[in-house]
Amino acid sequence: MKSRRSLSLTAVLLCISFFFLTIPPRAGGEEYGGGIRTEVLTKSGTASNGQALRYPCTERPEVTAMIVHIPPGQETGRHYHKIPVLAYVLDGTLTVEIEGGQTLTFRPGQVILEVQDTIHNGINRGTVPVKLVVFYVGEEGKPLVYRGEPSRP
């Protein structure tokens, strides 16, 4: 019999799979029939900067999905996540400055696999609002975003 921890981890992984990773390799929709077409947006074991993805091990998994709007000239402020965060850019161009000097730019139609336990800042340097669909794979009752410096092992 599987432990509760193992079952919770399985549930979290199934949620992630449902949103992003179950897209069939043929990406033609043949598995669904009826003319349904699928398109792989991304498939990766690493964040956008190459950092390995890590999933939380919890008895209380929780996935939060939200739309984030960033007006022109605004920024998220320096922050970090302890959990996997995946975003899809709907509108605008987002510049992400990552601790250590790396800068990444994301445009409409691109997927952002955010870094974990690493300070970063999202900036809208454009003239139109940035609009993101964001999925946080976390734990019930825990913050999605942290300010300050992450604790290092």
Side-chain angles (χ1 to χ4, degrees):
M1 183 169 166
K2 288 188 175 184
S3 70
R4 287 190 71 182
R5 184 178 197 148
S6 176
L7 289 174
S8 293
L9 181 58
T10 300
V12 169
L13 293 175
L14 285 173
C15 288
I16 291 293
S17 296
F18 176 76
F19 286 110
F20 289 100
L21 303 177
T22 60
I23 299 170
R26 289 182 281 175
E30 296 87 1
E31 293 79 5
Y32 295 104
I36 294 174
R37 188 174 64 86
T38 62
E39 181 179 340
V40 175
L41 299 176
T42 191
K43 187 172 184 176
S44 179
T46 63
S48 296
N49 73 336
Q51 177 189 61
L53 294 178
R54 297 181 321 277
Y55 295 101
C57 201
T58 177
E59 297 290 325
R60 301 178 350 242
E62 180 176 75
V63 175
T64 303
M66 68 175 68
I67 301 286
V68 175
H69 303 265
I70 305 172
Q74 297 298 306
E75 55 190 78
T76 61
R78 291 170 43 85
H79 67 282
Y80 67 97
H81 310 280
K82 293 183 177 184
I83 57 173
V85 178
L86 309 97
Y88 181 79
V89 182
L90 294 173
D91 294 309
T93 299
L94 182 68
T95 301
V96 178
E97 295 176 344
I98 301 171
E99 178 180 55
Q102 188 175 18
T103 300
L104 303 172
T105 302
F106 299 95
R107 293 176 175 76
Q110 291 186 302
V111 174
I112 304 169
L113 300 174
E114 293 201 33
V115 293
Q116 287 174 255
D117 293 316
T118 302
I119 300 286
H120 58 284
N121 184 28
I123 306 164
N124 181 352
R125 292 188 172 130
T127 58
V128 299
V130 169
K131 186 175 180 181
L132 309 167
V133 177
V134 184
F135 297 91
Y136 300 84
V137 182
E139 181 177 352
E140 183 181 320
K142 297 282 181 130
L144 303 175
V145 176
Y146 291 84
R147 303 292 175 171
E149 296 294 322
S151 57
R152 307 283 186 206

